[in-house]
Every structure is written in structure tokens, then in C-alpha cells.
Amino acid sequence: MATQEAPATAREWHLAARPQGWPVPTDFALVEAPVRTPGPGEILVRNAYLSVDPYMRGRMNDVKSYAPPFRLGAPMDGGAVGYVVASAAEGFAPGDAVLHGLGWREYATLPAEQAVKVDPAAAPLSTYLGVLGMTGLTAYAGLLAVGGLKEGDRVFVSGAAGAVGSIVGQIARLKGASLVVGSAGSAEKVARLVEDFGFDAAFNYKDGPVHEQLAKAAPEGIDLYFDNVGGDHLEAAIGALGVHGRAVLCGAIAQYNDTTAPAGPRNLAQAIGKRLRLEGMLVRDHAALQPQFVAEVGGWLREGKLREEQTVVDGFENTAEAFLDLLRGANTGKMVVRLNG
Ligand code: NAP
Ligand code: FER
């Protein structure tokens, strides 16, 4: 077996308790555990960047959903990129950079078939968690395949300064949308949407009712809504959509920490008269778009037409806090954790 130096033990984050409402630090535990030597067909990876994502909040609940719940007292998982340090698998050697699903830990032992090699020369490693990774594909597939974006469409995206939203807005612009409006949770983010990400208009949803602010930003209404937030945002978008309007239901982060069922959207019946199409999406269904996505989005990145934004938190010990900060809106672009070493 080809191997580099690896420690006997390393740290991993466990789910210590199921959060009730907003997670608190004591719901998470930092645990020292043995680093397992890879068996036949396996690799050992030193993680370099970990992804923290909103859907992880859902996995902390003990409910049946599209992703299985995290187990209590066991390491959590999620997107990660790192370097192979030992390999008992054909085609993988120490030093190879890989993308895989065993995040929330410093070292991961896994079947090589569950890892994808990535090229650190083509893009910084963390980009494979962001623009060229799951969140980038979500934006690309959601807007184009699910939303059916057409030239001239007036587009509204919520969560616009986040990982998915900041790419949705930019792709809409690149694909010829006639109006791109975004909402986000601070004045600074709103300014960046217009100045750095090329949105035509943006507003802070904390400044006043979303439907009022959307009506000002898009007085003629919208054709396509990319929903990352749910609740009052979705209700406002239903009101602003024109006949045959479409809404891509990608996320509903406003309710991920709720302990009671949400009230809205109260105006859903408008979907009848307007013949709206509201469609939920999961990025996993769009793997077939991967080659086209990498070619087109990779091209825009290289040509400087698409701006990649990340918020990087340093230190494995800060992963749980980074996740909490993501839910609080501390990030612009993709939130990742960089491991030392
Ligand atoms: P992100 O937008 O980078 O980070 C989450 C953001 O949500 C925060 O920065 C915060 O920004 C905002 N937020 C938090 N609470 C909010 C609230 N009550 N109302 C409005 N905004 C709130 O995360 P992401 O990874 O790009 O994910 C964005 C959405 O897409 C999430 O809903 C996620 O679950 C969904 N998603 C879905 C798929 C899929 O396959 N369906 C795949 C990836 C992501 P502010 O400062 O603006 O509040
Ligand atoms: C998210 C990240 C990923 C999310 C959903 C996914 C709704 C879906 C992943 C998949 O296709 O399995 O934040 O929120």
C-alpha cells in the first residue's frame, strides 16, 4: 500500500444532541478517534476544506427526508476536499486531490469509488465545493433545466448573496435575463449584489415587507423566481409572477429552524389563474448536466465573466460555529472551513 505519514488519531465532529429550533454549540461535540488504515479498494484522505450547508440542519432532525438523519454520537458527514495520504485502491496515489462525502472530520477512510479526483491546477481546491461543485451545479441546473430560463426573462432570486444565489444571479445575467433582482439580509450584501455580482436591483429583506420591496425593484413583475428562502419570499414572488410564471423551489432556509409549521404562502391559489409552475428540485437529479456545467461555468470562470465568492473559516475546531454562522447569514458566497496543515 502506498502511504504518506498519517496520525494514529484525529478529530471528528459528532452530533451530540438533536437541536430544538436554532442549534446551540452543545449540540455538537469534537471527538478524538482512531484514523483507520484503508482496506482493499479504500483510500485515506487528509481533508483540506469542509463544506457547511443549510441542508445539514435538516439532517440533525430525526425525520424521514431526502437525506438520512445524522446519527447521535457518530461523526456527521458532508462535502469535503482533501489529499490522499494512503491508498489501497487502484488509480489513487498519495498526493491525489479528491472530492468526497466524509466531511466534518480531519481524516477520512472511504472506498475510492466514493471519491472523485479533482485537478488542483485547474481551480483552487475549495472551488470544487462551491462554484464548480454542488452549489454551482444547483444554481446552473435549477435556473436552466428546472426554471427553463429564457432570454429576456425577469428573474428574482432570494438568498442572493449566498453560494447558490450569487451564481444564479450571475448566470441569469450571462444568459440574457432582462432584469435580475436579488434579496439578502444586510446592506453590505445588497451593495455587493449590484456592484460586484451584476444584479440590476437588490434589497434587504429585513428593511420591510418583501412584497413591497420586490414591487419597487420589479414594477412590471417577474417571469422566474429562484427560491432559496420560502415563507414571505415565496408569497411575494407568487404575487409578482406573471401568467405562466415559474418558481424553482430550491430551498426554504427561513424555516429550517422552525419548530412549528410555516403559515404561508397564503396566496398559493393565484397559481391557478396565473397558470404558474412551481417545481421542487434536488441537485442529485442533475448529474447528467455535470459535463456541460463544468465546461460552461468553468469557461466563464476562466474568462473572468463569473465571480467566485467564498467565506473561509480557518480551523477544524471552528466547523460547528461556521455552520451556525451560515444559518445566521455571516457568509457571502460559499461558506467553507479550511483545515490547518
Ligand atoms: P447560502 O445561501 O450560502 O447560506 C445561507 C444563507 O441563507 C445565509 O447566508 C443567509 O443570508 C440566508 N438566510 C438565513 N436565514 C434566512 C432567513 N430567515 N431568511 C432569508 N435568508 C436567510 O447557502 P447555500 O448553500 O447557497 O443554500 C441556499 C439555499 O439553497 C438553501 O435554502 C439550501 O437549502 C438550498 N440548496 C438546495 C439544494 C437542492 O438540491 N435543492 C442544493 C443546495 C442548496 P442572509 O444574510 O441573506 O440572510
Ligand atoms: C441543500 C444542499 C443540498 C439542500 C438540498 C441539497 C434543500 C440536496 C442535495 C441532494 O441532491 O441530495 O442545502 O437544501
Side-chain angles (χ1 to χ4, degrees), residues 53-56 66-67 134 138 250-252 256 281-285:
D53 295 275
Y55 77 95
M56 292 169 173
Y66 57 87
M134 186 274 286
T138 302
C250 174
Y256 291 176
M281 70 157 297
L282 283 179
V283 61
R284 72 176 69 160
D285 298 335

Side-chain angles (χ1 to χ4, degrees), residues 26 70 89 93 179 193 199 203 221 225 266 271 273:
T26 50
F70 292 131
L179 178 73
L193 287 177
F199 285 64
F203 61 86
Y225 172 50
R266 296 166 298 179

Side-chain angles (χ1 to χ4, degrees), residues 19 44-45 75 89 92 123 125 167 219 230 236 274-275 294 339:
L44 171 62
V45 180
F92 287 78
L125 265 196
I167 302 304
K274 290 183 179 175
R275 285 83 106 200
V294 171
L339 277 60

Side-chain angles (χ1 to χ4, degrees), residues 216-291:
K216 278 196 196 116
E220 321 258 281
I222 58 172
D223 304 295
L224 177 54
Y225 172 50
F226 194 106
D227 192 18
N228 287 317
V229 168
D232 57 348
H233 275 85
L234 179 54
E235 189 169 296
I238 288 171
L241 280 164
V243 170
H244 295 300
R246 296 95 72 203
V248 179
L249 307 186
C250 174
I253 195 165
Q255 66 194 50
Y256 291 176
N257 289 312
D258 282 359
T259 49
T260 54
R266 296 166 298 179
N267 57 353
L268 189 58
Q270 285 189 23
I272 304 162
K274 290 183 179 175
R275 285 83 106 200
L276 302 183
R277 198 158 60 81
L278 303 116
E279 186 170 341
M281 70 157 297
L282 283 179
V283 61
R284 72 176 69 160
D285 298 335
H286 299 278
L289 275 180
Q290 181 74 16

Side-chain angles (χ1 to χ4, degrees), residues 100-146:
H100 64 93
L102 290 187
W104 289 94
R105 67 201 81 191
E106 290 179 296
Y107 284 82
T109 308
L110 68 151
E113 64 192 24
Q114 291 170 18
V116 180
K117 279 201 222 180
V118 293
D119 181 0
L125 265 196
S126 56
T127 301
Y128 296 101
L129 297 175
V131 183
L132 286 179
M134 186 274 286
T135 48
L137 180 60
T138 302
Y140 186 84
L143 191 62
L144 305 181
V146 182

